[in-house]
Amino acid sequence: VYQASNDGNITMPYYKMSTETADTAAVKIQHAGHYCLAFVEDHTHSTSSSSSQLLPIVYDTSKVFGNDTMMLYPVAMNTKTVREIIGEEQYGFAETSSAFAAVDKVTIEPGKSITIASFYGLADHITDVPTISHRITANGFVQYKFSRAREIIQQINNNAETSTKNDLFNGLVSQMFMDNSIRGGIPIILGEENDDDRMSSVDENNRLKVYHLFSRIHGGVERDYNDFEIVPTFFSQG
């Protein structure tokens, strides 16, 4: 785990391997990695141009779970405060790290609440993270992304609209369609398409190409860790 900020803060952790995992004779430095950025949303100044402050990230699992290697209970938090934990030195090399947003002090009035927004993503280089942080912490960005995600889901589910007396069944059909679409991909046609093209297959027209949105190597994103290319020939992978 590296830090993208130069001020000594632990608000921009950058998770990456030191070298690429390709099975080659040459050793290549790994530059791409993942980031975790979190902050408390400020709903009182939604029209302001100011940005929210990033929260420190606890990436050393032992700081939270202590000697519980199964990571079931936050044993370390029984004896230490959040402020003490984020003040200690963390270790983030050659082990599976965590990404806990730490709020060391907050006052919640009766009937009120706070919202902690967390963003996880992939960056080509560690120097890209500060630029990303400025964009996501801008007021209104979280709500925009949330609304946009709802719009995309609705657009996908519109292809499998079901209307019966059972609202639960209607929702099940939409959910299953979305789940399978995101797993298997949603095919779209790229290229100039006219009426004649609609009567022929894409294989017969070199100007058209089928591209699957949202497609992944595996069904579950937690298993989508391979970094390889599949040769587009029959029975080439065994």
Side-chain angles (χ1 to χ4, degrees):
V1 180
Y2 304 85
Q3 291 296 329
S5 58
N6 298 322
D7 52 7
N9 293 327
I10 54 174
T11 57
M12 299 183 190
Y14 190 68
Y15 306 79
K16 76 177 187 70
M17 301 185 68
S18 300
T19 58
E20 295 183 1
T21 57
D23 187 13
T24 60
V27 177
K28 297 182 179 179
I29 302 299
Q30 176 76 25
H31 294 291
H34 294 82
Y35 60 84
C36 171
L37 303 170
F39 54 92
V40 177
E41 284 192 76
D42 186 2
H43 299 288
T44 61
H45 300 87
S46 58
T47 60
S48 174
S49 59
S50 61
S51 301
S52 301
Q53 297 296 320
L54 292 175
L55 294 172
I57 303 296
V58 179
Y59 53 85
D60 188 344
T61 55
S62 65
K63 299 300 180 182
V64 176
F65 299 100
N67 57 3
D68 183 6
T69 55
M70 295 183 66
M71 294 183 287
L72 297 177
Y73 303 99
V75 178
M77 299 189 71
N78 293 333
T79 57
K80 296 181 180 179
T81 64
V82 174
R83 177 170 296 184
E84 290 174 334
I85 291 176
I86 61 178
E88 296 178 344
E89 184 177 357
Q90 301 186 52
Y91 186 81
F93 297 94
E95 66 178 13
T96 302
S97 301
S98 58
F100 293 101
V103 181
D104 61 342
K105 184 179 180 181
V106 64
T107 301
I108 303 178
E109 299 178 357
K112 302 296 183 180
S113 64
I114 65 171
T115 301
I116 300 176
S118 299
F119 283 81
Y120 309 86
L122 175 67
D124 293 330
H125 199 277
I126 190 172
T127 55
D128 297 334
V129 179
T131 303
I132 297 174
S133 69
H134 289 308
R135 182 180 182 185
I136 69 172
T137 55
N139 284 317
F141 184 82
V142 175
Q143 185 59 42
Y144 164 74
K145 281 297 183 180
F146 183 81
S147 300
R148 181 60 183 139
R150 288 294 182 90
E151 292 176 0
I152 293 175
I153 292 175
Q154 187 60 46
Q155 291 172 2
I156 295 174
N157 288 340
N158 286 340
N159 296 301
E161 184 176 356
T162 305
S163 179
T164 67
K165 293 183 178 180
N166 192 327
D167 293 335
L168 185 61
F169 176 78
N170 298 339
L172 175 64
V173 174
S174 296
Q175 183 65 37
M176 291 185 63
F177 180 82
M178 182 185 68
D179 181 69
N180 283 281
S181 297
I182 293 178
R183 286 173 180 266
I186 300 177
I188 64 170
I189 303 297
L190 299 179
E192 297 181 2
E193 185 180 13
N194 52 40
D195 293 338
D196 294 335
D197 295 331
R198 299 178 188 276
M199 302 300 296
S200 61
S201 67
V202 176
D203 293 334
E204 299 172 344
N205 193 331
N206 295 329
R207 297 185 299 106
L208 302 180
K209 180 178 178 59
V210 177
Y211 182 78
H212 289 263
L213 300 175
F214 307 111
S215 63
R216 298 198 298 262
I217 300 171
H218 301 294
V221 67
E222 71 278 1
R223 299 193 302 275
D224 196 7
Y225 49 79
N226 300 96
D227 185 13
F228 59 84
E229 296 181 0
I230 299 178
V231 180
T233 57
F234 293 105
F235 310 113
S236 62
Q237 302 300 313

